[in-house]
Amino acid sequence: MNNNYGAPQGVDYQQPPMQPQMPMQPQLPMKWFKFLAYFGLWAGAVLNFIMAIVYMTGGHYGALGASLVYMVFPAMKTLDVALGIVCFIMVAYGVITALSLLKFKAIAPKLVVGLYIITGVVNVLYQIIGFAIIGEGFPIVDVIVYAGVAVLWAVLNKIYFGKRAHLFNK
């Protein structure tokens, strides 16, 4: 027998209870993320690779400059080779960071911030150790600029990725 609504008797056509809705995260622009993940970190890895070779060969002193610098300041060769090795390590770090971003790994934002901090520390240490070896012309402006830029980029990326933390949970 049918009720007034045309449904068979004994069948309950009640709608299921409403499920609680999760609050929607606002859609945030992802241009910086895309730039880093698809270009910036890869370009940085290539540049670090090139700079590793340049420092390890003394190419930054010019054609005849390296032999002269290393003759007068032999410890500079050790410093330059060490920086070259660090640059090779930064190649791997940059690639790992890019891949982590692309996979939305939870550690990816920390890797980005760490990349800027490490780069700043390495640049500042190179300037200070180079001064200690050569002994004149302390590069105070360079040290301030390298440290300031590293801190600025680290803070800006911390804020940027902090607002998008919900995306990085794998």
Side-chain angles (χ1 to χ4, degrees):
M1 180 163 192
N2 288 342
N3 58 17
N4 292 340
Y5 302 108
Q9 204 169 18
V11 176
D12 187 11
Y13 282 95
Q14 186 177 354
Q15 288 203 345
M18 293 286 292
Q19 296 294 324
Q21 295 290 324
M22 295 296 289
M24 294 290 291
Q25 291 286 345
Q27 292 292 347
L28 296 170
M30 297 292 285
K31 290 179 182 176
W32 180 244
F33 161 83
K34 289 178 183 177
F35 171 78
L36 285 177
Y38 293 109
F39 176 75
L41 291 168
W42 299 100
V46 169
L47 289 174
N48 273 320
F49 184 83
I50 292 167
M51 292 311 297
I53 293 168
V54 167
Y55 275 99
M56 292 182 96
T57 61
H60 57 297
Y61 296 117
L64 298 174
S67 58
L68 181 60
V69 169
Y70 296 153
M71 186 177 10
V72 177
F73 304 106
M76 284 304 293
K77 182 167 181 108
T78 304
L79 179 60
D80 288 342
V81 169
L83 182 59
I85 292 168
V86 170
C87 287
F88 279 129
I89 293 167
M90 295 306 287
V91 169
Y93 189 104
V95 169
I96 290 167
T97 303
L99 293 173
S100 296
L101 278 177
L102 290 169
K103 294 177 182 178
F104 290 91
K105 297 283 186 181
I107 190 121
K110 291 177 185 168
L111 291 174
V112 171
V113 171
L115 180 69
Y116 288 108
I117 292 171
I118 291 168
T119 300
V121 168
V122 167
N123 286 326
V124 166
L125 284 175
Y126 182 82
Q127 296 297 318
I128 292 171
I129 295 169
F131 167 75
I133 292 169
I134 295 172
E136 60 183 65
F138 186 75
I140 188 69
V141 173
D142 290 344
V143 168
I144 291 170
V145 169
Y146 287 134
V149 168
V151 168
L152 176 66
W153 278 112
V155 168
L156 290 174
N157 277 281
K158 176 84 171 140
I159 293 167
Y160 177 88
F161 285 105
K163 292 179 181 178
R164 292 154 181 82
H166 63 281
L167 300 173
F168 297 90
N169 54 14
K170 294 182 181 177

